[in-house]
Every structure is written in structure tokens, then in C-alpha cells.
Amino acid sequence: MNRIDDPKSKIKEWLSTQGYPLEMKVAAAFRKAGFEVIQSHYYIDPENNNYREIDVVAIMPDPKLSGVIDISFVVECKTSKKKPWLLFSSDRILERWNILFSYCINSDRTREALIKKGFDRIKKLLWMNKKGRIAYGLTQAFTSGDDITYKAAISVLKATISRKKQLEKRIPAPFMFIFPVIIIEGQLFECFLSDKGQLSIIEFENGFFHFPFSIADEPGTCIHILSSNKLTDLCSQAKNVSNTLLSLLQNDIDRRLELLSRNII
């Protein structure tokens, strides 16, 4: 059979434009790093209660199976090989913004537990104290009309907030850290004004997009945006973040388990 007429070749070519191979690579990388992974996860849209789909949810296993802590990464995968993504950034975006809200989607109980640890300790957490330029806007270059970058940001933020709302229905509700992530198979560029006021455009592979968009009365947060070339690094850092948070809150976890065993909460 002529390769051009081979349906398997055509299917592979089509799949490469739809993002499915990237989704599978992301899921495999998180599993290799020790996470529990859900692919093509359906969640309830927190605005209209319709079911929607997110590509990957990676959950750090609870070593004690306690059910009182959840650390997860909600991932939207996008393939954009011909049209790069462009992020507009500044080094002053997070001024006057509470670092606990810009860290991830979490709950009042979670933030209270962190505050008790002291800001000197929590500022040392990976991704907590974001330095340098942070994106405040993004778009896809060389295009007009539908902006897939905005849709991707809304989708991953909705999926993250939906997970928070579902976790809060547990009795008791767990400590939670839910990180929204967008992984791009394609080029990422950053656009900013230099110190001399000149427009600068540089290619990069890993950064944060501040997206404080309120959904269903829940504030947004920073979305981690990175190139698929950094997938291994992301999984390694995600595991580091998860283990550090588990260690930091170990006494709080043990205390809640004790109260549960005594039917106090």
C-alpha cells in the first residue's frame, strides 16, 4: 500500500495536530514520577454545571491514605507548532498580590495552616516566591479571531476550581493545593519593555501567567505555562513541591487524623 494512502499514517498525522500524543506523554511522565494520573478527566463547569473535559490530572499519592490532604496538578495540553504563543510580561505584576493566592488554588483552611508556619518558611517553597517577570496576558501569534490561549487558560482554571469545589464536599474537607498547568508543544515567546523602554521579545520555555479571573466567586491564580521540552523538569519539581508540602503539614495532618478518630470533626 502506498504510504500516502496508508490510513495509519494519516491517523498519526491527524493525531499530531490534535494534541493526543502530548497528552499521553504528559500522563506517562507524571506516572513515572510517582503520581496517580487521570487522563481525559471530566469535571463540572463551576459556572453552568455542564460537564467539560481536561487533559490530565496528576495527584500526589497520600502516603497515609488519610484523605485529609490533596496535592494535584491539573494540566491542559496544547499543540501549536506553526503559531507560537506570546506572553506579555512585567516584573511588577505580583506587587500587592497575596502570595498564597498566586501560589495555587487552595482553601481558607489550607491558607490558615500555611500562615501558622510563618512567612519566612513558606516563602522558601518552590514556586511560592515568584521572582522576575510574570505574564499578565497571552495570545497566539500570526492569528486573529478565536484566541485559543484564552480558552486554554479559562479551561484549566475552571477545571482547577471545580476540583476544589468537589474536594470541599468531602467530610472533612482536605488541605488542598491544586496547581493549574498549560503545556505547549511549540514555541513560547515573552514580550516586555526593557529598562530603556524598548520592546523586547525572547524565546523561553518555562514561566507563570497571572490569571486572577474570578469564576463562581472563586479567585484565580497563577498558571504555570511551559514548553513540552520542560516536561521532565516539571514532573521532578512537582514531586519536590508535593513532598515538601506533605512534610510541612505533617503535624497538621496527624492532628486532624487524631480528631477524626475521636469523632471531633
Side-chain angles (χ1 to χ4, degrees), residues 2-56:
N2 189 312
R3 181 176 177 81
I4 297 178
D5 298 324
D6 181 4
K8 290 194 294 184
S9 297
K10 291 183 177 180
I11 290 172
K12 285 183 179 180
E13 182 179 354
W14 174 76
L15 283 173
S16 68
T17 66
Q18 300 301 308
Y20 294 108
L22 177 58
E23 176 189 317
M24 291 186 282
K25 290 176 185 176
V26 170
F30 270 104
R31 286 194 181 100
K32 186 176 181 180
F35 287 83
E36 299 171 355
V37 176
I38 306 171
Q39 291 177 250
S40 298
H41 174 63
Y42 285 90
Y43 67 92
I44 300 174
D45 188 316
E47 288 188 312
N48 55 34
N49 290 324
N50 292 330
Y51 279 97
R52 301 195 184 280
E53 184 180 7
I54 196 72
D55 294 322
V56 176

Side-chain angles (χ1 to χ4, degrees), residues 29-30 33 35 126-127 231-241:
F30 270 104
F35 287 83
L126 184 62
W127 301 343
L231 177 56
T232 301
D233 290 344
L234 169 69
C235 293
S236 176
Q237 290 182 11
K239 188 172 183 178
N240 183 2
V241 166

